[in-house]
PDB file of all heavy atoms in Angstrom:
ATOM      1  N   ALA A 181      11.183  11.933  -3.841  1.00 86.00           N
ATOM      2  CA  ALA A 181      10.725  10.836  -2.988  1.00 86.00           C
ATOM      3  C   ALA A 181      11.842  10.379  -2.057  1.00 86.00           C
ATOM      4  O   ALA A 181      11.613  10.095  -0.870  1.00 86.00           O
ATOM      5  CB  ALA A 181      10.227   9.673  -3.842  1.00 86.00           C
ATOM      6  N   GLU A 182      13.071  10.319  -2.586  1.00 86.00           N
ATOM      7  CA  GLU A 182      14.198   9.937  -1.735  1.00 86.00           C
ATOM      8  C   GLU A 182      14.430  10.975  -0.640  1.00 86.00           C
ATOM      9  O   GLU A 182      14.759  10.647   0.500  1.00 86.00           O
ATOM     10  CB  GLU A 182      15.467   9.785  -2.589  1.00 86.00           C
ATOM     11  CG  GLU A 182      15.482   8.522  -3.399  1.00 86.00           C
ATOM     12  CD  GLU A 182      15.402   7.291  -2.519  1.00 86.00           C
ATOM     13  OE1 GLU A 182      16.313   7.104  -1.697  1.00 86.00           O
ATOM     14  OE2 GLU A 182      14.432   6.536  -2.642  1.00 86.00           O
ATOM     15  N   PHE A 183      14.241  12.243  -1.026  1.00 89.00           N
ATOM     16  CA  PHE A 183      14.362  13.333  -0.055  1.00 89.00           C
ATOM     17  C   PHE A 183      13.326  13.172   1.056  1.00 89.00           C
ATOM     18  O   PHE A 183      13.638  13.342   2.245  1.00 89.00           O
ATOM     19  CB  PHE A 183      14.193  14.656  -0.798  1.00 89.00           C
ATOM     20  CG  PHE A 183      14.114  15.862   0.077  1.00 89.00           C
ATOM     21  CD1 PHE A 183      15.232  16.321   0.742  1.00 89.00           C
ATOM     22  CD2 PHE A 183      12.921  16.533   0.246  1.00 89.00           C
ATOM     23  CE1 PHE A 183      15.154  17.428   1.559  1.00 89.00           C
ATOM     24  CE2 PHE A 183      12.839  17.638   1.052  1.00 89.00           C
ATOM     25  CZ  PHE A 183      13.954  18.091   1.711  1.00 89.00           C
ATOM     26  N   PHE A 184      12.114  12.800   0.652  1.00 88.00           N
ATOM     27  CA  PHE A 184      11.073  12.500   1.642  1.00 88.00           C
ATOM     28  C   PHE A 184      11.562  11.439   2.608  1.00 88.00           C
ATOM     29  O   PHE A 184      11.357  11.543   3.815  1.00 88.00           O
ATOM     30  CB  PHE A 184       9.820  11.963   0.930  1.00 88.00           C
ATOM     31  CG  PHE A 184       8.822  13.006   0.602  1.00 88.00           C
ATOM     32  CD1 PHE A 184       9.223  14.232   0.114  1.00 88.00           C
ATOM     33  CD2 PHE A 184       7.476  12.755   0.774  1.00 88.00           C
ATOM     34  CE1 PHE A 184       8.285  15.186  -0.204  1.00 88.00           C
ATOM     35  CE2 PHE A 184       6.536  13.713   0.457  1.00 88.00           C
ATOM     36  CZ  PHE A 184       6.943  14.922  -0.035  1.00 88.00           C
ATOM     37  N   GLY A 185      12.191  10.390   2.065  1.00 87.00           N
ATOM     38  CA  GLY A 185      12.674   9.304   2.910  1.00 87.00           C
ATOM     39  C   GLY A 185      13.674   9.798   3.925  1.00 87.00           C
ATOM     40  O   GLY A 185      13.573   9.500   5.122  1.00 87.00           O
ATOM     41  N   THR A 186      14.649  10.602   3.475  1.00 90.00           N
ATOM     42  CA  THR A 186      15.679  11.111   4.377  1.00 90.00           C
ATOM     43  C   THR A 186      15.066  11.985   5.469  1.00 90.00           C
ATOM     44  O   THR A 186      15.374  11.843   6.653  1.00 90.00           O
ATOM     45  CB  THR A 186      16.711  11.926   3.583  1.00 90.00           C
ATOM     46  OG1 THR A 186      17.050  11.201   2.426  1.00 90.00           O
ATOM     47  CG2 THR A 186      17.937  12.188   4.392  1.00 90.00           C
ATOM     48  N   VAL A 187      14.170  12.908   5.032  1.00 91.00           N
ATOM     49  CA  VAL A 187      13.557  13.816   5.999  1.00 91.00           C
ATOM     50  C   VAL A 187      12.701  13.035   6.999  1.00 91.00           C
ATOM     51  O   VAL A 187      12.681  13.343   8.192  1.00 91.00           O
ATOM     52  CB  VAL A 187      12.729  14.890   5.263  1.00 91.00           C
ATOM     53  CG1 VAL A 187      11.981  15.746   6.240  1.00 91.00           C
ATOM     54  CG2 VAL A 187      13.634  15.745   4.422  1.00 91.00           C
ATOM     55  N   THR A 188      12.016  11.987   6.482  1.00 89.00           N
ATOM     56  CA  THR A 188      11.181  11.193   7.374  1.00 89.00           C
ATOM     57  C   THR A 188      12.013  10.515   8.450  1.00 89.00           C
ATOM     58  O   THR A 188      11.605  10.468   9.618  1.00 89.00           O
ATOM     59  CB  THR A 188      10.415  10.141   6.561  1.00 89.00           C
ATOM     60  OG1 THR A 188       9.795  10.789   5.470  1.00 89.00           O
ATOM     61  CG2 THR A 188       9.380   9.472   7.400  1.00 89.00           C
ATOM     62  N   VAL A 189      13.175   9.980   8.051  1.00 91.00           N
ATOM     63  CA  VAL A 189      14.060   9.363   9.045  1.00 91.00           C
ATOM     64  C   VAL A 189      14.436  10.393  10.114  1.00 91.00           C
ATOM     65  O   VAL A 189      14.376  10.112  11.324  1.00 91.00           O
ATOM     66  CB  VAL A 189      15.322   8.797   8.366  1.00 91.00           C
ATOM     67  CG1 VAL A 189      16.345   8.392   9.397  1.00 91.00           C
ATOM     68  CG2 VAL A 189      14.962   7.618   7.507  1.00 91.00           C
ATOM     69  N   ALA A 190      14.780  11.619   9.663  1.00 91.00           N
ATOM     70  CA  ALA A 190      15.159  12.660  10.625  1.00 91.00           C
ATOM     71  C   ALA A 190      13.989  12.993  11.545  1.00 91.00           C
ATOM     72  O   ALA A 190      14.165  13.119  12.771  1.00 91.00           O
ATOM     73  CB  ALA A 190      15.621  13.904   9.873  1.00 91.00           C
ATOM     74  N   ILE A 191      12.782  13.104  10.977  1.00 89.00           N
ATOM     75  CA  ILE A 191      11.613  13.443  11.801  1.00 89.00           C
ATOM     76  C   ILE A 191      11.371  12.362  12.847  1.00 89.00           C
ATOM     77  O   ILE A 191      11.132  12.649  14.022  1.00 89.00           O
ATOM     78  CB  ILE A 191      10.360  13.619  10.909  1.00 89.00           C
ATOM     79  CG1 ILE A 191      10.465  14.898  10.091  1.00 89.00           C
ATOM     80  CG2 ILE A 191       9.100  13.649  11.746  1.00 89.00           C
ATOM     81  CD1 ILE A 191       9.285  15.131   9.193  1.00 89.00           C
ATOM     82  N   ILE A 192      11.455  11.086  12.404  1.00 89.00           N
ATOM     83  CA  ILE A 192      11.180  10.000  13.352  1.00 89.00           C
ATOM     84  C   ILE A 192      12.223   9.984  14.458  1.00 89.00           C
ATOM     85  O   ILE A 192      11.894   9.791  15.637  1.00 89.00           O
ATOM     86  CB  ILE A 192      11.124   8.651  12.606  1.00 89.00           C
ATOM     87  CG1 ILE A 192       9.887   8.617  11.720  1.00 89.00           C
ATOM     88  CG2 ILE A 192      11.076   7.497  13.577  1.00 89.00           C
ATOM     89  CD1 ILE A 192       9.751   7.380  10.907  1.00 89.00           C
ATOM     90  N   LEU A 193      13.504  10.238  14.100  1.00 91.00           N
ATOM     91  CA  LEU A 193      14.547  10.255  15.135  1.00 91.00           C
ATOM     92  C   LEU A 193      14.292  11.381  16.128  1.00 91.00           C
ATOM     93  O   LEU A 193      14.396  11.182  17.350  1.00 91.00           O
ATOM     94  CB  LEU A 193      15.926  10.413  14.493  1.00 91.00           C
ATOM     95  CG  LEU A 193      16.482   9.159  13.822  1.00 91.00           C
ATOM     96  CD1 LEU A 193      17.789   9.474  13.143  1.00 91.00           C
ATOM     97  CD2 LEU A 193      16.674   8.055  14.842  1.00 91.00           C
ATOM     98  N   LEU A 194      13.933  12.569  15.615  1.00 90.00           N
ATOM     99  CA  LEU A 194      13.679  13.700  16.514  1.00 90.00           C
ATOM    100  C   LEU A 194      12.479  13.425  17.420  1.00 90.00           C
ATOM    101  O   LEU A 194      12.498  13.723  18.620  1.00 90.00           O
ATOM    102  CB  LEU A 194      13.446  14.974  15.701  1.00 90.00           C
ATOM    103  CG  LEU A 194      14.708  15.603  15.111  1.00 90.00           C
ATOM    104  CD1 LEU A 194      14.337  16.725  14.167  1.00 90.00           C
ATOM    105  CD2 LEU A 194      15.608  16.133  16.211  1.00 90.00           C
ATOM    106  N   LEU A 195      11.419  12.820  16.822  1.00 87.00           N
ATOM    107  CA  LEU A 195      10.243  12.481  17.625  1.00 87.00           C
ATOM    108  C   LEU A 195      10.605  11.461  18.693  1.00 87.00           C
ATOM    109  O   LEU A 195      10.109  11.523  19.826  1.00 87.00           O
ATOM    110  CB  LEU A 195       9.121  11.938  16.741  1.00 87.00           C
ATOM    111  CG  LEU A 195       8.316  12.943  15.926  1.00 87.00           C
ATOM    112  CD1 LEU A 195       7.294  12.210  15.076  1.00 87.00           C
ATOM    113  CD2 LEU A 195       7.609  13.923  16.841  1.00 87.00           C
ATOM    114  N   ALA A 196      11.485  10.499  18.324  1.00 88.00           N
ATOM    115  CA  ALA A 196      11.895   9.473  19.284  1.00 88.00           C
ATOM    116  C   ALA A 196      12.593  10.115  20.474  1.00 88.00           C
ATOM    117  O   ALA A 196      12.357   9.735  21.627  1.00 88.00           O
ATOM    118  CB  ALA A 196      12.816   8.460  18.614  1.00 88.00           C
ATOM    119  N   ILE A 197      13.450  11.119  20.197  1.00 88.00           N
ATOM    120  CA  ILE A 197      14.142  11.787  21.305  1.00 88.00           C
ATOM    121  C   ILE A 197      13.156  12.631  22.104  1.00 88.00           C
ATOM    122  O   ILE A 197      13.151  12.611  23.330  1.00 88.00           O
ATOM    123  CB  ILE A 197      15.295  12.654  20.767  1.00 88.00           C
ATOM    124  CG1 ILE A 197      16.297  11.768  20.032  1.00 88.00           C
ATOM    125  CG2 ILE A 197      15.997  13.369  21.898  1.00 88.00           C
ATOM    126  CD1 ILE A 197      17.344  12.542  19.289  1.00 88.00           C
ATOM    127  N   ALA A 198      12.273  13.352  21.376  1.00 85.00           N
ATOM    128  CA  ALA A 198      11.355  14.250  22.065  1.00 85.00           C
ATOM    129  C   ALA A 198      10.371  13.483  22.940  1.00 85.00           C
ATOM    130  O   ALA A 198      10.035  13.905  24.039  1.00 85.00           O
ATOM    131  CB  ALA A 198      10.608  15.100  21.042  1.00 85.00           C
ATOM    132  N   MET A 199       9.885  12.331  22.433  1.00 82.00           N
ATOM    133  CA  MET A 199       8.913  11.553  23.212  1.00 82.00           C
ATOM    134  C   MET A 199       9.592  10.566  24.149  1.00 82.00           C
ATOM    135  O   MET A 199       8.928   9.853  24.891  1.00 82.00           O
ATOM    136  CB  MET A 199       7.967  10.800  22.274  1.00 82.00           C
ATOM    137  CG  MET A 199       7.164  11.716  21.376  1.00 82.00           C
ATOM    138  SD  MET A 199       5.734  10.926  20.618  1.00 82.00           S
ATOM    139  CE  MET A 199       6.452   9.749  19.531  1.00 82.00           C
ATOM    140  N   ASP A 200      10.943  10.486  24.037  1.00 82.00           N
ATOM    141  CA  ASP A 200      11.726   9.592  24.883  1.00 82.00           C
ATOM    142  C   ASP A 200      11.306   8.130  24.711  1.00 82.00           C
ATOM    143  O   ASP A 200      11.067   7.405  25.677  1.00 82.00           O
ATOM    144  CB  ASP A 200      11.619  10.005  26.352  1.00 82.00           C
ATOM    145  CG  ASP A 200      12.813   9.463  27.138  1.00 82.00           C
ATOM    146  OD1 ASP A 200      13.819   9.131  26.501  1.00 82.00           O
ATOM    147  OD2 ASP A 200      12.719   9.367  28.371  1.00 82.00           O
ATOM    148  N   LYS A 201      11.154   7.713  23.463  1.00 81.00           N
ATOM    149  CA  LYS A 201      10.802   6.324  23.173  1.00 81.00           C
ATOM    150  C   LYS A 201      11.877   5.748  22.270  1.00 81.00           C
ATOM    151  O   LYS A 201      11.953   6.110  21.083  1.00 81.00           O
ATOM    152  CB  LYS A 201       9.452   6.259  22.447  1.00 81.00           C
ATOM    153  CG  LYS A 201       8.266   6.636  23.289  1.00 81.00           C
ATOM    154  CD  LYS A 201       7.447   5.394  23.606  1.00 81.00           C
ATOM    155  CE  LYS A 201       6.331   5.682  24.576  1.00 81.00           C
ATOM    156  NZ  LYS A 201       5.089   6.007  23.932  1.00 81.00           N
ATOM    157  N   SER A 202      12.699   4.853  22.790  1.00 81.00           N
ATOM    158  CA  SER A 202      13.809   4.340  21.992  1.00 81.00           C
ATOM    159  C   SER A 202      13.330   3.378  20.915  1.00 81.00           C
ATOM    160  O   SER A 202      14.068   3.057  19.991  1.00 81.00           O
ATOM    161  CB  SER A 202      14.821   3.650  22.895  1.00 81.00           C
ATOM    162  OG  SER A 202      14.194   2.611  23.591  1.00 81.00           O
ATOM    163  N   VAL A 203      12.063   2.899  21.031  1.00 82.00           N
ATOM    164  CA  VAL A 203      11.526   1.947  20.058  1.00 82.00           C
ATOM    165  C   VAL A 203      11.579   2.510  18.646  1.00 82.00           C
ATOM    166  O   VAL A 203      11.848   1.789  17.680  1.00 82.00           O
ATOM    167  CB  VAL A 203      10.060   1.628  20.434  1.00 82.00           C
ATOM    168  CG1 VAL A 203       9.408   0.787  19.371  1.00 82.00           C
ATOM    169  CG2 VAL A 203      10.011   0.933  21.770  1.00 82.00           C
ATOM    170  N   TYR A 204      11.384   3.836  18.529  1.00 85.00           N
ATOM    171  CA  TYR A 204      11.270   4.421  17.198  1.00 85.00           C
ATOM    172  C   TYR A 204      12.596   4.486  16.467  1.00 85.00           C
ATOM    173  O   TYR A 204      12.615   4.706  15.262  1.00 85.00           O
ATOM    174  CB  TYR A 204      10.619   5.796  17.289  1.00 85.00           C
ATOM    175  CG  TYR A 204       9.211   5.712  17.799  1.00 85.00           C
ATOM    176  CD1 TYR A 204       8.818   6.361  18.948  1.00 85.00           C
ATOM    177  CD2 TYR A 204       8.295   4.918  17.140  1.00 85.00           C
ATOM    178  CE1 TYR A 204       7.522   6.246  19.419  1.00 85.00           C
ATOM    179  CE2 TYR A 204       7.013   4.790  17.600  1.00 85.00           C
ATOM    180  CZ  TYR A 204       6.631   5.459  18.739  1.00 85.00           C
ATOM    181  OH  TYR A 204       5.363   5.319  19.207  1.00 85.00           O
ATOM    182  N   TYR A 205      13.716   4.297  17.173  1.00 87.00           N
ATOM    183  CA  TYR A 205      15.004   4.204  16.482  1.00 87.00           C
ATOM    184  C   TYR A 205      14.973   3.064  15.470  1.00 87.00           C
ATOM    185  O   TYR A 205      15.515   3.168  14.369  1.00 87.00           O
ATOM    186  CB  TYR A 205      16.150   3.972  17.477  1.00 87.00           C
ATOM    187  CG  TYR A 205      16.409   5.127  18.415  1.00 87.00           C
ATOM    188  CD1 TYR A 205      16.753   4.895  19.734  1.00 87.00           C
ATOM    189  CD2 TYR A 205      16.306   6.433  17.973  1.00 87.00           C
ATOM    190  CE1 TYR A 205      16.987   5.945  20.604  1.00 87.00           C
ATOM    191  CE2 TYR A 205      16.531   7.485  18.821  1.00 87.00           C
ATOM    192  CZ  TYR A 205      16.874   7.239  20.146  1.00 87.00           C
ATOM    193  OH  TYR A 205      17.088   8.278  20.986  1.00 87.00           O
ATOM    194  N   ASP A 206      14.320   1.956  15.864  1.00 84.00           N
ATOM    195  CA  ASP A 206      14.211   0.803  14.963  1.00 84.00           C
ATOM    196  C   ASP A 206      13.445   1.154  13.710  1.00 84.00           C
ATOM    197  O   ASP A 206      13.821   0.755  12.602  1.00 84.00           O
ATOM    198  CB  ASP A 206      13.493  -0.349  15.669  1.00 84.00           C
ATOM    199  CG  ASP A 206      14.405  -1.075  16.609  1.00 84.00           C
ATOM    200  OD1 ASP A 206      15.576  -0.674  16.651  1.00 84.00           O
ATOM    201  OD2 ASP A 206      13.954  -2.010  17.275  1.00 84.00           O
ATOM    202  N   VAL A 207      12.348   1.906  13.915  1.00 85.00           N
ATOM    203  CA  VAL A 207      11.539   2.304  12.757  1.00 85.00           C
ATOM    204  C   VAL A 207      12.396   3.126  11.796  1.00 85.00           C
ATOM    205  O   VAL A 207      12.387   2.903  10.579  1.00 85.00           O
ATOM    206  CB  VAL A 207      10.309   3.109  13.218  1.00 85.00           C
ATOM    207  CG1 VAL A 207       9.465   3.498  12.021  1.00 85.00           C
ATOM    208  CG2 VAL A 207       9.491   2.311  14.205  1.00 85.00           C
ATOM    209  N   ALA A 208      13.187   4.052  12.366  1.00 88.00           N
ATOM    210  CA  ALA A 208      14.048   4.892  11.531  1.00 88.00           C
ATOM    211  C   ALA A 208      15.085   4.037  10.799  1.00 88.00           C
ATOM    212  O   ALA A 208      15.384   4.271   9.621  1.00 88.00           O
ATOM    213  CB  ALA A 208      14.728   5.946  12.378  1.00 88.00           C
ATOM    214  N   LEU A 209      15.605   3.026  11.490  1.00 88.00           N
ATOM    215  CA  LEU A 209      16.611   2.145  10.889  1.00 88.00           C
ATOM    216  C   LEU A 209      16.028   1.393   9.693  1.00 88.00           C
ATOM    217  O   LEU A 209      16.625   1.360   8.605  1.00 88.00           O
ATOM    218  CB  LEU A 209      17.117   1.169  11.954  1.00 88.00           C
ATOM    219  CG  LEU A 209      18.190   0.185  11.540  1.00 88.00           C
ATOM    220  CD1 LEU A 209      19.456   0.919  11.187  1.00 88.00           C
ATOM    221  CD2 LEU A 209      18.449  -0.815  12.644  1.00 88.00           C
ATOM    222  N   VAL A 210      14.846   0.818   9.897  1.00 87.00           N
ATOM    223  CA  VAL A 210      14.206   0.069   8.808  1.00 87.00           C
ATOM    224  C   VAL A 210      13.916   0.994   7.630  1.00 87.00           C
ATOM    225  O   VAL A 210      14.134   0.640   6.469  1.00 87.00           O
ATOM    226  CB  VAL A 210      12.910  -0.601   9.323  1.00 87.00           C
ATOM    227  CG1 VAL A 210      12.120  -1.188   8.174  1.00 87.00           C
ATOM    228  CG2 VAL A 210      13.246  -1.677  10.317  1.00 87.00           C
ATOM    229  N   PHE A 211      13.466   2.215   7.942  1.00 86.00           N
ATOM    230  CA  PHE A 211      13.220   3.216   6.909  1.00 86.00           C
ATOM    231  C   PHE A 211      14.463   3.490   6.090  1.00 86.00           C
ATOM    232  O   PHE A 211      14.429   3.497   4.857  1.00 86.00           O
ATOM    233  CB  PHE A 211      12.814   4.525   7.572  1.00 86.00           C
ATOM    234  CG  PHE A 211      11.425   4.897   7.284  1.00 86.00           C
ATOM    235  CD1 PHE A 211      10.523   5.044   8.298  1.00 86.00           C
ATOM    236  CD2 PHE A 211      11.037   5.093   5.992  1.00 86.00           C
ATOM    237  CE1 PHE A 211       9.235   5.381   8.035  1.00 86.00           C
ATOM    238  CE2 PHE A 211       9.750   5.438   5.709  1.00 86.00           C
ATOM    239  CZ  PHE A 211       8.843   5.577   6.745  1.00 86.00           C
TER     240      PHE A 211
END
Side-chain angles (χ1 to χ4, degrees):
Chain A
E182 285 300 299
F183 172 71
F184 267 41
T186 314
V187 174
T188 310
V189 170
I191 289 180
I192 291 178
L193 284 176
L194 284 172
L195 283 178
I197 299 171
M199 299 197 293
D200 202 19
K201 291 252 173 93
S202 58
V203 173
Y204 296 121
Y205 294 142
D206 282 358
V207 181
L209 181 65
V210 171
F211 247 120

